[in-house]
């Protein structure tokens, strides 16, 4: 297949599998000006699939940086009401939301931590209804990515500039299973495999997981009625979709107060256009009590103080070290990809869908059953080829889940 054919197949995968657009469904796309050609292709295929209306919100890297550098301080304590209302209307109409990521990982390097933190808090509060809809699978939502020049240069600095974009495109096509004209079928088979892993874990009903690797020794308790899930979700109407393309994970929620020990990251965390790396987090009774980071320490400290729930975990995810993304031996500097190369945790809000009967519950009710609530949800990568994970059953029996970075069953 030539490049244009691969691009067409990728767009078809996004619309038919990622979003699974239904007849008469509205679609809202959020993206950057680096993706215009691909976005136009998505719009076309969405209409062909039956979408009623497709709207696109573009951001521009230069304009975004100008906002953080030049806007008055009070601007970072506000979030545009019309943007929140736009998403609320999409929820009311059972619409779909797509994010096409092509961000520069270093976009906000050097920006005041206060500005980043204040705007995170303002947007989190304004978009509370939207976040609840996403976290509870009320609407269809999906995230995909395509290269931009600055992102490609970050990933492949050793290549000549004209080869960087080509190399990142080739790699993305490979890890999303595009290029042979069979992407839709391959994704059905892939999801079936992930679902079988989740089913086995749900039968086991582990009450605690113990992670051990270089720099990591941590125990994570699970809520009584926890559910292991995959990237395959269903919206409020029961329509299936894939939230992340690519996805290699099987995940659930930890018991908020049941995390004890320490964990070291194995890949950088790209947070709000900044790199955070070489950090260790120590937990006691669920809360982060100590942070040590060689790169981005101040930003990581600020992240965990965003609100009361930002110092607790909301997600634990299992990804074998042998996953296609890990096997590429490429650091993407993009969480969408890097989290699918490694076991990972998420700081902040838990998905209510990870506990039986928890969908739609209030924050207070979620806290009562042991799920964390927050306006943040940030994944960080902890997996490695030397990681072992043991599971403890209700009767105290210990069974291996991961051995040397891969499934033990």
């Amino acid at each position: 297949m030539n490049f244009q054919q691969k691009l067409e197949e990728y767009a078809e995968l996004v619309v038919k599998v990622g979003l699974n657009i239904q007849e008469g469904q509205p679609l809202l796309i959020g993206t950057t000006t680096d993706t215009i050609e691909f976005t136009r292709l998505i719009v076309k295929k969405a209409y062909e699939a039956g979408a009623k209306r497709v709207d696109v919100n573009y951001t521009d890297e230069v304009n975004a940086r100008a906002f953080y550098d030049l806007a008055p301080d009070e601007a970072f304590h506000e979030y545009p009401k019309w943007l929140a209302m736009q998403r609320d209307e999409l929820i009311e109409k059972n619409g779909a939301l797509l994010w096409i990521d092509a961000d520069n990982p270093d976009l906000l390097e050097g920006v005041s931590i206060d500005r980043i933190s204040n705007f995170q808090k303002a947007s989190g509060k304004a978009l509370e209804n939207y976040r609840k809809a996403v976290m509870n699978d009320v609407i269809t939502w999906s995230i995909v990515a395509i290269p931009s020049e600055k992102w490609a240069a970050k990933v492949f600095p050793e290549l000549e500039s004209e080869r960087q974009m080509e190399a990142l495109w080739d790699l993305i096509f490979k890890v999303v299973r595009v290029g042979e004209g069979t992407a839709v079928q391959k994704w059905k088979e892939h999801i079936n495999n992930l679902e079988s892993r989740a089913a086995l874990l749900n039968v086991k009903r582990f009450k605690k997981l113990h992670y051990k690797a270089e720099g990591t020794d941590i125990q994570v308790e699970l809520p009584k009625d926890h559910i292991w899930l995959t990237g395959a979700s269903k919206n409020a109407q029961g329509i299936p979709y894939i939230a992340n393309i690519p996805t290699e994970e099987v995940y659930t929620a930890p018991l908020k107060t049941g995390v004890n020990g320490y964990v070291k990251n194995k890949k950088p965390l790209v947070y709000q256009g900044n790199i955070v790396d070489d950090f260790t987090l120590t937990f006691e009774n669920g809360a982060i009590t100590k942070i040590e980071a060689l790169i981005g320490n101040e930003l990581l400290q600020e992240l965990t103080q965003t609100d009361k729930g930002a110092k607790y975990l909301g997600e634990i995810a299992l990804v074998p070290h042998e996953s296609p993304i890990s096997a590429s031996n490429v650091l993407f500097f993009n969480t969408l990809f890097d989290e699918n190369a490694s076991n990972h945790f998420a700081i902040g809000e838990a998905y209510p869908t990870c506990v039986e009967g928890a969908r739609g519950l209030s924050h207070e009710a979620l806290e009562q059953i042991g799920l964390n609530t927050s306006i943040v949800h940030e994944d960080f990568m902890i997996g490695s080829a030397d990681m072992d994970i043991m599971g403890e059953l209700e009767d105290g029996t210990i069974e291996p889940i991961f051995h040397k970075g891969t499934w033990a069953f």
Side-chain angles (χ1 to χ4, degrees), residues 380-398:
F380 65 98
M381 287 60 75
I382 65 169
S384 60
D386 70 333
M387 176 164 279
D388 292 334
I389 306 175
M390 305 299 290
E392 182 178 336
L393 299 171
E394 285 292 339
D395 64 3
T397 301
I398 304 297

Side-chain angles (χ1 to χ4, degrees), residues 332-348:
F332 282 82
F333 296 99
N334 183 302
T335 301
L336 175 64
F337 294 89
D338 289 332
E339 72 170 6
N340 286 296
S342 169
N343 290 322
H344 54 274
F345 290 162
I347 295 169

Side-chain angles (χ1 to χ4, degrees), residues 18 33 42 70 79 122 165 167 220 222 244 268 284 332 342 372 379:
T33 51
I42 293 287
L70 304 174
Y79 188 83
M165 283 285 284
V220 179
L222 303 179
N244 297 337
E284 293 180 17
F332 282 82
S342 169
N372 190 36
D379 297 283

Side-chain angles (χ1 to χ4, degrees), residues 249-265:
E249 67 180 337
V250 177
Y251 68 95
T252 192
L255 182 67
K256 178 177 180 176
T257 57
V259 182
N260 289 279
Y262 55 90
V263 60
K264 182 176 177 58
N265 77 304

Side-chain angles (χ1 to χ4, degrees), residues 144-387:
V144 300
I146 69 168
S148 64
E149 290 185 0
K150 290 186 177 179
W151 179 23
K154 182 77 173 180
V155 177
F156 294 108
E158 75 283 2
L159 298 181
E160 296 180 1
S161 57
E162 60 269 19
R163 278 280 300 128
Q164 291 169 340
M165 283 285 284
E166 181 182 350
L168 188 52
W169 266 119
D170 287 345
L171 188 54
I172 289 177
F173 283 146
K174 181 178 180 179
V175 299
V176 299
R177 298 170 170 81
V178 162
E180 298 179 1
T182 57
V184 171
Q185 180 58 36
K186 284 184 177 180
W187 269 87
K188 290 179 180 179
E189 295 170 358
H190 175 53
I191 292 300
N192 286 339
N193 179 54
L194 291 178
E195 293 282 359
S196 68
R197 295 286 187 188
L200 288 171
L201 289 167
N202 285 325
V203 169
K204 289 291 185 180
R205 311 302 304 169
F206 291 110
K207 70 174 185 178
K208 182 188 296 185
L209 273 57
H210 187 182
Y211 296 70
K212 292 199 72 173
E214 182 182 1
T216 293
D217 188 346
I218 192 165
Q219 296 190 37
V220 179
E221 294 180 53
L222 303 179
K224 179 182 177 183
D225 296 317
H226 69 273
I227 303 171
W228 289 93
L229 299 171
T230 71
S233 303
K234 290 184 179 180
N235 65 19
Q237 290 73 47
I239 305 299
Y241 67 93
I242 307 295
N244 297 337
I245 294 180
T247 181
E248 303 287 339
E249 67 180 337
V250 177
Y251 68 95
T252 192
L255 182 67
K256 178 177 180 176
T257 57
V259 182
N260 289 279
Y262 55 90
V263 60
K264 182 176 177 58
N265 77 304
K266 294 299 181 180
K267 292 179 182 292
L269 164 63
V270 179
Y271 175 64
Q272 299 292 326
N274 286 265
I275 302 294
V276 182
D277 199 10
D278 200 1
F279 60 88
T280 298
L281 304 179
T282 301
F283 292 80
E284 293 180 17
N285 298 321
I288 297 172
T289 57
K290 186 178 181 181
I291 297 173
E292 300 171 283
L294 292 184
I295 300 173
N297 183 72
E298 186 180 357
L299 185 60
L300 186 55
Q301 296 277 359
E302 191 67 33
L303 167 62
T304 60
Q305 296 172 29
T306 303
D307 59 20
K308 291 181 180 179
K311 62 180 179 179
Y312 293 87
L313 293 184
E315 177 189 343
I316 62 171
L318 303 177
V319 180
H321 187 69
E322 62 193 19
S323 77
I325 298 171
S326 178
S328 72
N329 291 317
V330 172
L331 180 61
F332 282 82
F333 296 99
N334 183 302
T335 301
L336 175 64
F337 294 89
D338 289 332
E339 72 170 6
N340 286 296
S342 169
N343 290 322
H344 54 274
F345 290 162
I347 295 169
E349 189 162 21
Y351 289 100
T353 50
C354 288
V355 170
E356 187 175 348
R359 287 181 185 235
L361 294 182
S362 67
H363 284 181
E364 293 75 17
L366 291 173
E367 293 280 349
Q368 287 178 3
I369 62 175
L371 290 183
N372 190 36
T373 60
S374 174
I375 63 171
V376 301
H377 181 96
E378 292 294 332
D379 297 283
F380 65 98
M381 287 60 75
I382 65 169
S384 60
D386 70 333
M387 176 164 279

